[in-house]
Amino acid sequence: MPDRADISYFGAGPALLPTDVLESAAQALLNYQSTGLGIAEHSHRSQYAADIINEAKADLATYLDIPDDYEILFMQGGGSGEFSATVYNLVGAWVTRKKAEILKQMGVQDEKEANQEELVSALKKAIDSELKLDYLVTGSWSLKAYQEAGRLIGPEYTNLATDARKANDGKFGKIPDESTWSLSKSPAMVYYCDNETVDGVEFPKFPAALGPNSEGERPIVVADMSSNILSRRIPVENFSAVFFGAQKNMGSTGITVVVIKKSLLPPACPQPSPALMRKLGLPVPPVIFSYETIAKNNSLYNTLSIFDVYIAGQVLKKMLNVFPENKVDGQEAVANQKAKIIYDALEAHPGVYRIVPDKSVRSRMNICFRVTIDGDTDGSEAKFLKGATARGLTGLKGHRSVGGIRASNYNTISVSSAEKLADFIKSFAQQ
């Protein structure tokens, strides 16, 4: 029976958690702050819960240098839930902005003063001719998000601004040159996945094509950062919203974090009424997917898993203690070091290993490769996985949709574990 210290777990998620965080969480689950009750038993309306949420928000803002004009939300539903929530909320924000433009054209300031039939008619016309959601599809998860948008509001309102498969013989593994992207003129949002867990593709930096225009105006950019958040510095001010599941780099399964510009929330941008959205033929979000509702209630509209927020908060505190001065920049340096160790080992034996994505977009978090010896891939990969497990290197099997090997290099993977994997990669190739 292996001990926890004997295992280097490279699973894609849920991911490895720091042992000391689990130990403190175990105690908190039994008796939190000497209250005689575990943290999972305290009411989500209690001051304990509010303090846990507020501390986690403050520590996340400190670690990532999140500006004051952003709100942090803790939600449920995972990344897949956010595929829907982003559509609901950003389409609603677009309708609010468009309604303000139309009211100005009508010469009225208050919606109640406007002719309602004329207003609805003008909005419908604008929706039919202008409403677009742009998607950069570079892997399996951004593809799912694009498909969900089409399911919710109709494919006529979605724009496949780029499809990476067209640049890579029908498979994911590259990011098409930005000059080829067909971005809409003024989309409700431009959506992309910063790191594709299944396909091992990561944007090397924020796309220049999504920067401010000549007048200094920025598009509404939304990014899924579920698998690389906290691993590198991100230009938060370039995004209108960022979301990520906690279960890869920040905690356990059960909570999803949304970092959103306050200008997309009331009072600056209240969501349209459900009655108006129905008249316009647009979807109304379930209340638990309403950013406006979650923000108004400090993430406590419904019964949030405070235990999972606590774990995330403890992970953040640990990272701030490890990197008190350079914060996320310190972790980024370590992530890059570990990725280099593993990629160098693979590149040293090109006759055995084939790294799946193009070198220009290789993920630092999910290192995807194939193993082939004497023309046999399936058998070679089975032997590789068996040998790795015997050395305590687990969680390396690739996603069921693509196969192969995948080493997920999340923040809790130590440099020592990366070196152990690299040593096995070398020894397996030399056998």
Side-chain angles (χ1 to χ4, degrees):
M1 194 69 138
D3 187 74
R4 184 177 179 85
D6 299 328
I7 298 297
S8 294
Y9 180 62
F10 293 90
L16 187 73
L17 283 164
T19 298
D20 54 349
V21 167
L22 288 177
E23 289 171 343
S24 64
Q27 180 57 43
L29 191 59
L30 184 66
N31 187 351
Y32 182 63
Q33 293 191 0
S34 301
T35 58
L37 290 176
I39 196 169
E41 298 164 305
H42 280 283
S43 170
H44 65 296
R45 304 293 183 200
S46 68
Q47 189 60 49
Y48 295 112
D51 290 344
I52 288 169
I53 287 175
N54 292 334
E55 283 186 29
K57 288 169 64 173
D59 287 341
L60 178 61
T62 298
Y63 184 77
L64 289 179
D65 289 324
I66 298 174
D68 291 339
D69 58 340
Y70 284 78
E71 183 59 78
I72 298 171
L73 313 176
F74 290 101
M75 300 179 67
Q76 297 170 64
S80 296
E82 291 305 314
F83 297 166
S84 303
T86 51
V87 173
Y88 290 133
N89 288 277
L90 274 299
V91 167
W94 183 91
V95 170
T96 295
R97 294 194 302 274
K98 187 57 61 175
K99 182 177 68 174
E101 290 178 18
I102 293 171
L103 288 173
K104 186 176 181 180
Q105 293 167 5
M106 294 171 66
V108 296
Q109 294 183 342
D110 193 330
E111 182 180 348
K112 295 177 182 178
E113 300 173 4
N115 181 301
Q116 294 301 305
E117 289 186 6
E118 183 181 346
L119 174 61
V120 171
S121 176
L123 278 169
K124 283 184 176 180
K125 184 177 180 181
I127 288 167
D128 290 340
S129 61
E130 300 175 41
L131 177 60
K132 286 293 181 184
L133 301 175
D134 283 5
Y135 284 80
L136 309 178
V137 173
T138 57
S140 301
W141 291 112
S142 51
L143 176 61
K144 287 179 181 293
Y146 168 70
Q147 292 169 336
E148 176 68 354
R151 189 183 73 86
L152 288 176
I153 66 169
E156 65 271 27
Y157 299 120
T158 61
N159 172 40
L160 184 56
T162 192
D163 184 345
R165 294 169 295 185
K166 294 181 179 179
N168 196 44
D169 299 323
K171 295 182 179 181
F172 293 120
K174 292 183 179 180
I175 296 177
D177 190 273
E178 294 182 24
S179 64
T180 68
W181 296 357
S182 57
L183 297 166
S184 301
K185 182 179 180 182
S186 184
M189 71 171 175
V190 183
Y191 182 109
Y192 74 95
C193 180
D194 204 41
N195 184 76
E196 292 281 3
T197 331
V198 173
D199 308 284
V201 171
E202 184 175 25
F203 277 79
K205 60 182 179 180
F206 182 80
L210 304 183
N213 60 22
S214 57
E215 297 176 357
E217 299 172 334
R218 295 184 182 275
I220 305 293
V221 180
V222 175
D224 174 358
M225 294 189 176
S226 291
S227 51
N228 65 347
I229 196 69
L230 309 189
S231 73
R232 69 176 182 182
R233 178 167 294 279
I234 58 174
V236 181
E237 66 280 358
N238 289 352
F239 298 94
S240 293
V242 168
F243 70 83
F244 51 93
Q247 70 273 13
K248 299 180 189 297
N249 273 330
M250 198 174 108
S252 53
T253 304
I255 56 168
T256 309
V257 183
V258 178
V259 180
I260 184 169
K261 261 189 171 297
K262 291 178 180 177
S263 60
L264 290 172
L265 299 169
C269 187
Q271 284 285 303
S273 70
L276 176 58
M277 295 294 277
R278 284 193 292 270
K279 287 179 182 178
L280 298 173
L282 294 173
V284 177
V287 69
I288 60 167
F289 281 166
S290 166
Y291 294 157
E292 178 177 316
T293 299
I294 302 303
K296 182 180 178 181
N297 291 275
N298 193 29
S299 300
L300 290 171
Y301 175 79
N302 60 328
T303 309
L304 184 68
S305 176
I306 300 300
F307 180 62
D308 292 316
V309 180
Y310 172 79
I311 290 178
Q314 293 302 300
V315 170
L316 287 165
K317 288 185 183 301
K318 178 181 177 67
M319 296 178 79
L320 286 169
N321 285 333
V322 173
F323 305 107
E325 299 297 328
N326 46 9
K327 298 175 292 188
V328 69
D329 295 323
Q331 182 60 53
E332 180 172 5
V334 174
N336 293 344
Q337 177 190 4
K338 294 184 296 172
K340 186 177 186 304
I341 289 169
I342 298 171
Y343 278 122
D344 283 354
L346 293 169
E347 287 183 326
H349 302 279
V352 177
Y353 305 111
R354 179 179 65 85
I355 301 169
V356 174
D358 187 78
K359 190 169 185 175
S360 63
V361 295
R362 286 178 185 172
S363 170
R364 302 161 307 121
M365 293 290 101
N366 306 103
I367 299 168
C368 298
F369 59 97
R370 304 307 302 256
V371 184
T372 304
I373 300 174
D374 296 330
D376 176 18
T377 299
D378 291 343
S380 299
E381 289 176 348
K383 290 179 181 178
F384 181 93
L385 291 171
K386 183 177 180 180
T389 299
R391 291 199 182 192
L393 305 168
T394 63
L396 287 165
K397 189 174 182 178
H399 192 272
R400 62 186 181 280
S401 66
V402 295
I405 311 296
R406 173 174 56 176
S408 293
N409 177 38
Y410 297 136
N411 289 348
T412 45
I413 296 295
S414 65
V415 173
S416 174
S417 289
E419 290 172 338
K420 288 177 183 178
L421 176 57
D423 288 343
F424 174 69
I425 288 170
K426 295 172 187 175
S427 64
F428 183 84
Q430 292 166 355
Q431 288 176 359

